[in-house]
Amino acid sequence: MLLQRIFAFIPAVVALLPYFAFAQQGGGGLPDKIVPCNGLDCKCEHLIQLAQNLINGGIFLSVFLAALLFAYAGWLYLSNEAIGQKDKAKKLFGNVAIGLIVIMVAWLVVDTLMSSLLKDNVVWNNICTNLGL
């Protein structure tokens, strides 16, 4: 039982090793700090940056988890001859794909609505400066 848990934990550690290498500035897809301001010096642009950091972090984690679940479903599909496990793997493939598509479409719809509702095609990250806040 303990050996199975160790073997299940090793792929996760190996998958996370490149993230800790910090090959790019900022350490990959996640921001350095989620909350961009300190204490009471927060302004409107810090709130917008906080929302952007949360969205970026959520999308990064969802894509990472989807890749792990696709790998697990592929392992289930290829390693088990029982029909029940192959059906479970197919169902898992479908559920992960649908979830990932829902996340990406939701981001696309919100981004398109925000860019179409704001005047002069202003990027919504710069809304505070354009409104004079």
Side-chain angles (χ1 to χ4, degrees), residues 1 6 11 22 33 37-38 47 52 58 60 64 71 73 82 85 89 97 114-115 117-118 127 132:
M1 183 80 157
I6 291 173
F22 296 111
K33 291 178 15 179
C37 60
N38 296 322
L47 181 64
Q52 186 65 45
F60 177 80
F64 177 74
Q85 293 294 327
M114 291 298 289
S115 64
L117 291 177
L118 294 174
I127 193 169

Side-chain angles (χ1 to χ4, degrees), residues 59-119:
I59 289 175
F60 177 80
L61 288 177
S62 66
V63 170
F64 177 74
L65 290 176
L68 287 179
L69 285 171
F70 277 132
Y72 174 67
W75 179 76
L76 273 181
Y77 188 79
L78 292 176
S79 65
N80 293 313
E81 291 294 325
I83 293 176
Q85 293 294 327
K86 285 194 176 190
D87 288 339
K88 180 182 174 183
K90 288 179 185 179
K91 187 175 179 181
L92 186 60
F93 270 125
N95 289 340
V96 172
I98 289 171
L100 197 57
I101 289 170
V102 165
I103 289 171
M104 295 301 172
V105 167
W107 173 83
L108 183 64
V109 165
V110 169
D111 191 53
T112 304
L113 281 175
M114 291 298 289
S115 64
S116 65
L117 291 177
L118 294 174
K119 61 179 180 178

